[in-house]
Every structure is written in structure tokens, then in C-alpha cells.
Amino acid sequence: MQKSKLQFKIKSFYFLVFVLSLSFLLFSFNFTEAAELKLIAPMQKFGVNQQFQVDLLLDTEGEEINAAEVKIFFPGELLEMKEIRDGNSIINFWIEKPRAVEAGIIGFSGIIPGGYQETKGFVFSVVFRAKTSGNGAIEIRDAKVLLNDGKGTPVNVKIPPFQFSISQEVPSVPPMVEIIKDTDPPEDFKPEIASDPNVFDGKWFLVFATQDKGTGIAYYAIRETRREINIKRETDAKWVEAESPYVLKDQKLKSWIYVKAIDKAGNERIAVLPPRYPLSWYENYLIWVIIILIALIVISGFLIYRFYGGKNSR
Amino acid sequence: MQNSNPKFKNFIFIGIIFIFAFFSFYLVFENARASGTANFQIEIFYAKETHQIDTTQTFTETLSNPNGSSFDINLPADVLTSGEEIELTMYSTPEESVTTNKPLPSGKLASDIFYNISFTKVSDGSTISSFNKAVTLTFYYTDSDINGINESTLTAYHWNNSAWTALNDSTVDTSLNKVTATTQQFGDFGIFGDVSPSCGDGSCNGSETCSSCPTDCGNCSGNGGGGGGGGITTPVTSVTFSGRAYPKSTISLLKDAQIAATTIADANANFSLNISGLSGGNYIFSVYSEDNKGNRSSLLTFPISITSGATTNVSGIFIAPTIAVDKSEVKRGDNIAIFGQSAPQADIVVSVNSEDEFFGKTISDKDGIYLYNFDSSFVDYGIHYTKSKASIGNQAVSGFSNVISFKVGTKNIAAGLPSACGKADLNCDQKINLVDFSIAAYWYKRSLSVSFKSLEVERLSGDGKVDLVDFSIMAYYWTG
């Protein structure tokens, strides 16, 4: 009897070791290859015509992540996408900016150089309007999240859906779309001129990127000019809306280049690149205007002198 | 043939359990060891002061914040019976940098600015936990600091290491916008109050004004007319990074992946970098250093939430060593030299990862140079990987260096000079930055030209297309 009790105790001990080992193993796997993409909103019940904001957050769960590509699916019959807000995002460079790629699908891809390892990384927000009553879910599919390991190793991604219901009654809740007071211009930035035989037939192109910590970048505009300008006096008509990379019009690189980043609140930041090969003095038409003017004055003076001087001498 | 001996079965069962347990624990601890990260401190403050105090005399000092609020501390004479000289450090910091880990009492709202005071003995640097006499604290607040708080309920609170406790004799003077209290303990302090019954309800009523309740009454920046004079000092939002790199090495600081500042470390490898003109928001800063041979360290990344008007200090950074080998292939049994640069007199651990992981130790010289000769007879033929990390005492520990490979074979082949065009360097300018990103982005989801296909094979993933994996490789090797 005692022997069987002892055997039971020994077996229990081994079972305990087995369970503990299994837990440790699961714990280990959980921390080696996983990340979570979460869709977060203040509530899950909305009224018809009410607008609400859903944030996409990245929890790297201890891993160092440097690239992500995601598609978000939403029921177009229930929701209308009003706006995408990517200001203050952890994504430094968008390969594809978040946008509606198809009806009911929002897609994006981007990178975080050097990697990112946090639990609440803000990627972007989507503002929806509830169109009609019903139940639905916003889901992430085709998510790729890659490790910062120099090989682009994919990690398993947990993607719980965001369930919601829309009713005719509008719940009395605080505003569910964050009001962003943005008075700061986009971040300072330095555009760079480059050329490469593999792109744009080897033509010179301009690369630029910055971030806006408030409302996000709305667009960029470029002005190429052979003379230095007072940017405050320049009218918007002379700026050309552009995206990076931008093939330069002046392939001789003799122009001043002005790049303006404008955020969604209208704040501006302008970066200036002086010409790589400044104009020689004889290429500057202002010099020629001055020379011609001086020449005209001298010739006129000489003629006047001859005309009046000659009369007097007679 | 089948062995039905129960002892044998038990033996097999126990054996399997222990092998399984060993494997599990090995995996967990291996993972923990591999993921060990460098330690550094992040401090966010609006204003900071340090003073040496003669405790036999009275002492009064004011800490002024950029937004006009301030904090007074008043020490009576003989605050310590021993009469020792002490050092006071006090700083103000944004609410969110404190309350993230120290949640507010239920139903209370806090003023936007918190304070921390600490005292140490000048003689031995030990911390003083309490005084023999109470010190007086006065918190001067602005109307915008207490937005949404019922002003008459403002009370000074102290964090007692587990919860916020109200200071018993706390009083508020709403006409002078100040809260006064006394304490004999130190640490974090804040002023809390009840939620204002009307601010935030959507109507500008009662005593609400545009300054006390902009949520309901709107901002004060509208047409007010009149007034004038008196300049407005815009508070500086800045961040400072300091720590150790390599003696006389160049350190680059990236802000959101673009170079924002560079500096040169001193002869002891210490460096400090400051950038200002930032907005409030989330930033990803990275630092790396370049050693005396032009090898770069791995990128050390800091995601930081910057508070507008505050200074953020990131100290205790220890940049990982650089690493190189003298042979690309070593004849099995010969030594291979693993070397690089770190801080002077640092303990360097070199790891060679094969089926088993081998660790070797060495110490860097006064210039931070280290060298470790690894006996290749310990590992099998084939490709092996090595990396290193540095530590100074028990306090400063770097992360791991980049990982480099070498082959154990049948002959010795000297390692060549680093290729002019490294991994992900598509335009071969020895920088991996927005230009390379743009070149890759041009070919994203396009069929590649013949010339670019060979470049993709050589410097990216080599799968004949440009996709997210290629951008991930680029992000890993990024230099800004």
C-alpha cells in the first residue's frame, strides 16, 4: 500500500515536471515569434450617422520589428471611411501610405529603421461613419510583420477582430473622434539629390520625407528656380505638388530647390537646397540686364555729350 | 523482443521527461540570454536644479517652469540633527511621465506638472529618506495646469512607494494660485483635486474662462484686442542623449531614421548629443558609432514620447562594440582573430555560435581596442557566427554587436577589406538611407530590369523581386 502511494507521489512529481516544462516551452515560443496588431476604439456600440475613430496599435511582444504590411477589411454596407490619420505614427517610411485600396479595404506597408520594441505602437487611425444599423467586424487580414534581424524573418501575428454594433439610437457618449489641435509645423528635414542608373534612366531625382506629430503630412510641394527667392512672397501657384522620389526638371542642377511639407492643419515647413552647380556670372540674366543698362546709360551719355558738346564748341 | 520490464519503462519515461524538461528550460534561458538588452535611463523634466545645502542654516529655493508655474522648497535650520552637508536635487516633470506607473487615486485629477525632490549626503552620496524637521513645499500653478479640476479642492499629495497620500496640512490659496504643505519625506509630489463639475460639459458657464476651461470656452488666442507688450518665451522641447561609445569615435543620432546630429566621443569614450526644436509626440531615435577602422556599430533604438516644453534626458547609453575577423575562412585547428572597438578597459564577451555557443572573455585596451583569438578546433567545419558585447563593472552593459560570419574549412583565407557596397546599399555610397529606400520603392511590385535583378541578388534578399522582406533588410542595415 505504502509502495503504491510512493509510486503515485513519484508519478505526480514527474507529471508536475512535465507540466512545468510544457508551460516553460509554451512561454518560450510565445516570446520568440509573435506580435499583435490591435484595433482599438473607445466603444463598440454606435448610433447611425455617428463618427468614431479606430486606432491600429502594434504590440511587438518583446520582439524587435522593422517592417509591416497589413490589409484592414471593413463592411462597406455598414461603415463609410471618412479619414485616415497617420500623424505621430511609429512607421518612419511608408512604402504604401495607408489608403483605401479597394471598397472596404484599407492597405499599407512601411518600415521602422533600427527596429521597434514596444507594447502600444501607434500605426494610424481610421475615422468611420456608421451608415446603417447592424452588427459587423473590422478585421485585419494578410498581415506581414517582420523581425529586425537582417533577414526579414516573419513573426506570427495575433489579429483579434474589432466587433461593433450600430443602432438607430445614438448613445450619449463623449466625442469618439479625437480633436487634434495642431499648431506645430512638420519636422525639420533635409532633401537629398541623387541619381542611379537603375531608376528614372539615370536622371537626377530628389528624395525627401518628414513627419508631422499632430495631424500628419497632407502633401509636399516643390519649387525649382534659377534664382534664390523669398519664400514668404512666393505664391502657391508657383509650387508644384510632388511625391518623393521626384525627378528634377533642372537636370543641370543649377537651380535652387525648395521643398514644402504641409500638414493636414495647414502648417508648413520649408527645406531649401542651394544649387549644386551655381550659375556662372555670365549665365545670370540679371547681370546682363545691369550690363546692358549701364552700357545704354554710357552710350546715351556719350551721344548727349557729343550732341550738346559739339553745338557749344561751334 | 519487447521489453515489458516496468523498471525499464519507468526509466524510459523518466528519461523522456528529463530530456524534455532540459530542452524546455534550455530554450527559455537561451532566449533570455540572447535577448538581454542594454540598460539606460530616460528622464523627462521641464526644469531641474541641484544645490549643496548647509543644514545648520535655513534654505529656500525656487524651481521655475517654462509655463510660468513654479515650486518653492523651504528648509528650516537644523533640519538634520547631525548638521551634515547635503545635496538637493529637484525637478519638475509632465504628469504622464509619473502617473503611467503611479496611478492617481480614484476620482482625482492631477495638475499637469509633478515634482520630485531627493536629498543625498555630500560625504558619502547616500540617500536621505527623511528629515528631523518638516520642510515646506509651495506649489504655484497656472490656470491651464489645473484644467478640469475644481480649484478649491486642490491638495498636495506624496507617493509613498505604493500609493498617493494627501499631505495633512495642505492648504490652497485660489487667489494666489498656490498650494502649501509640509513634509518630512521625499520623492514624487503632485497637486490633485476633484473633477470640476462643469468644465468639459460643453458649455462655458460659472467661473469658467478660456484659460481655466478651454474645452468649453475655446482657446484664448482669439480676438481679444488691447493689451500688448511683454514677450512670450516659447518653452524649448529638447532631448539629450549621453553615454559611452569608443574613444574619439563619431556618433550619429538619427531622429525618425534621418541623421539629426553627430558628435565625437572624448578619449574616455563619453559622448553627449542634444537636439531641440522638437514637437510633442512619438519619436524613434537611434544612435550608432563608427570605430577607428570605419566599422559601424549596430543601431541602438529608443522609441520616446516627447512632451512639449520638457527636456528629455536619455543617459547611460552604452553603444555595442564593433566586430571584425581577420580571416573569412580559417583552417580547422588554427586561430581566428575576432576584434573590434569598445570603451576603454571594458570587459568584452565574444560569442561564437555554432551547434553549441562558445563564450570567450577579453578586456579592451586604453583605446577601446579588443582582440580575442578563437581556437577553431572547438567547432565543426562550416559557417559560424560571432558577436560581442561589452560591460563595465556591473552597471554599464552594452547590447550585442552586429553578427558576422566566418567559415571553418581546410585553408586560411584572409578577410578582405569591407566591400565598398555593403548589404542594402543600392547606390553604393556607403550609406543606407532614403535614397536606397527610394530606389527600392521604385521597383516595388514591378518586374525588375536585368541590371537591377543582379543588384537585388547581391544586396537584398535575392529572390528576384522587391517586396517587404527587402525593405526589412534595408531597415536593419540603415545608417541614415
Side-chain angles (χ1 to χ4, degrees), chain A residues 206-261:
Chain A
L206 187 71
V207 296
F208 48 87
T210 187
Q211 290 213 340
D212 182 71
K213 303 299 175 186
T215 48
I217 297 292
Y219 65 95
Y220 295 92
I222 288 182
R223 176 109 163 82
E224 288 181 74
T225 170
R226 286 285 174 102
R227 61 188 175 84
E228 193 173 1
I229 57 169
N230 182 344
I231 45 180
K232 285 180 184 167
R233 285 190 199 162
E234 283 300 300
T235 61
D236 284 344
K238 291 180 178 175
W239 292 88
V240 181
E241 201 171 320
E243 280 184 4
S244 177
Y246 169 84
V247 181
L248 290 167
K249 288 195 176 73
D250 180 4
Q251 287 292 311
K252 291 179 177 169
L253 306 184
K254 293 186 171 187
S255 294
W256 288 79
I257 301 165
Y258 300 84
V259 185
K260 181 157 64 171

Side-chain angles (χ1 to χ4, degrees), chain B residues 8 369 390 407:
Chain B
F8 181 76
I369 308 289
K407 185 180 174 185

Side-chain angles (χ1 to χ4, degrees), chain B residues 87-109:
Chain B
E87 186 172 272
L88 158 69
T89 302
M90 59 180 180
Y91 64 86
S92 54
T93 188
E95 177 190 355
E96 55 272 18
S97 70
V98 177
T99 54
T100 308
N101 298 320
K102 297 166 184 169
L104 294 176
S106 145
K108 297 286 181 192
L109 289 180

Side-chain angles (χ1 to χ4, degrees), chain A residues 16-312:
Chain A
L16 190 68
V17 170
F18 176 77
V19 169
L20 274 175
S21 309
L22 191 67
S23 319
F24 263 74
L25 194 62
L26 288 174
F27 177 81
S28 160
F29 282 133
N30 188 33
F31 276 80
T32 47
E33 280 192 359
E36 186 171 7
L37 283 162
K38 301 176 203 169
L39 293 162
I40 304 285
M43 291 191 72
Q44 288 175 287
K45 289 182 179 175
F46 313 106
V48 172
N49 282 326
Q50 198 172 22
Q51 291 196 8
F52 61 96
Q53 179 177 322
V54 179
D55 295 343
L56 175 64
L57 303 180
L58 172 66
D59 178 356
T60 67
E61 297 198 343
E63 292 302 327
E64 204 167 65
I65 302 299
N66 73 8
E69 186 175 279
V70 170
K71 277 187 181 158
I72 299 172
F73 291 73
F74 63 93
E77 70 281 7
L78 295 177
L79 301 176
E80 179 194 356
M81 193 193 87
K82 299 293 290 181
E83 187 187 352
I84 290 176
R85 297 176 167 187
D86 60 9
N88 214 16
S89 173
I90 57 164
I91 302 291
N92 293 138
F93 300 113
W94 299 105
I95 303 164
E96 288 181 306
K97 275 198 91 163
R99 63 187 174 91
V101 288
E102 283 175 49
I105 305 174
I106 298 163
F108 81 91
S109 54
I111 60 166
I112 313 165
Y116 183 82
Q117 193 179 24
E118 288 286 315
T119 54
K120 285 181 187 169
F122 172 76
V123 183
F124 63 90
S125 302
V126 187
V127 177
F128 291 106
R129 182 182 72 85
K131 283 161 76 174
T132 182
S133 53
N135 295 327
I138 304 171
E139 294 175 275
I140 296 169
R141 292 180 218 158
D142 306 333
K144 278 187 204 160
V145 175
L146 308 185
L147 283 178
N148 184 44
D149 63 354
K151 291 177 272 188
T153 308
V155 297
N156 295 324
V157 191
K158 288 184 257 173
I159 39 178
F162 174 74
Q163 311 274 0
F164 64 90
S165 68
I166 302 168
S167 59
Q168 287 295 333
E169 292 172 21
V170 178
S172 63
V173 289
M176 285 183 291
V177 179
E178 189 187 352
I179 298 161
I180 303 170
K181 289 173 187 168
D182 185 4
T183 54
D184 291 326
E187 294 292 302
D188 197 10
F189 65 110
K190 286 178 189 157
E192 197 172 327
I193 296 170
S195 77
D196 188 271
N198 290 299
V199 292
F200 307 122
D201 301 322
K203 288 180 178 170
W204 292 103
F205 60 92
L206 187 71
V207 296
F208 48 87
T210 187
Q211 290 213 340
D212 182 71
K213 303 299 175 186
T215 48
I217 297 292
Y219 65 95
Y220 295 92
I222 288 182
R223 176 109 163 82
E224 288 181 74
T225 170
R226 286 285 174 102
R227 61 188 175 84
E228 193 173 1
I229 57 169
N230 182 344
I231 45 180
K232 285 180 184 167
R233 285 190 199 162
E234 283 300 300
T235 61
D236 284 344
K238 291 180 178 175
W239 292 88
V240 181
E241 201 171 320
E243 280 184 4
S244 177
Y246 169 84
V247 181
L248 290 167
K249 288 195 176 73
D250 180 4
Q251 287 292 311
K252 291 179 177 169
L253 306 184
K254 293 186 171 187
S255 294
W256 288 79
I257 301 165
Y258 300 84
V259 185
K260 181 157 64 171
I262 301 105
D263 70 19
K264 288 171 185 164
N267 303 302
E268 295 177 358
R269 171 81 69 179
I270 296 175
V272 183
L273 273 181
R276 187 174 286 188
Y277 307 112
L279 292 174
S280 304
W281 68 269
Y282 55 82
E283 291 176 295
N284 191 334
Y285 71 90
L286 267 177
I287 301 283
W288 284 110
V289 169
I290 292 164
I291 289 171
I292 291 166
L293 276 174
I294 291 169
L296 282 174
I297 291 164
V298 170
I299 292 166
S300 306
F302 179 72
L303 289 175
I304 290 165
Y305 172 76
R306 285 291 300 267
F307 184 73
Y308 289 106
K311 267 187 177 179
N312 289 341

Side-chain angles (χ1 to χ4, degrees), chain A residues 14 21 24 28 66 69 88 90 92-93 95-96 112-115 147-148 150 152 187 198-200 207 209 211 213, chain B residues 14 21 24 28 255-258 279-284 299 301 438 442-445 451 471-473 475-476 478:
Chain A
Y14 289 131
S21 309
F24 263 74
S28 160
N66 73 8
E69 186 175 279
N88 214 16
I90 57 164
N92 293 138
F93 300 113
I95 303 164
E96 288 181 306
I112 313 165
L147 283 178
N148 184 44
E187 294 292 302
N198 290 299
V199 292
F200 307 122
V207 296
Q211 290 213 340
K213 303 299 175 186
Chain B
I14 292 164
S24 306
V28 170
K255 181 190 76 173
D256 288 331
Q258 299 194 64
S279 311
N282 297 324
Y283 287 84
I284 298 179
L299 212 55
T301 302
S438 302
Y442 177 88
W443 291 107
Y444 181 59
K445 292 183 178 173
S451 61
F471 286 100
S472 174
I473 291 167
Y476 176 79
W478 197 266

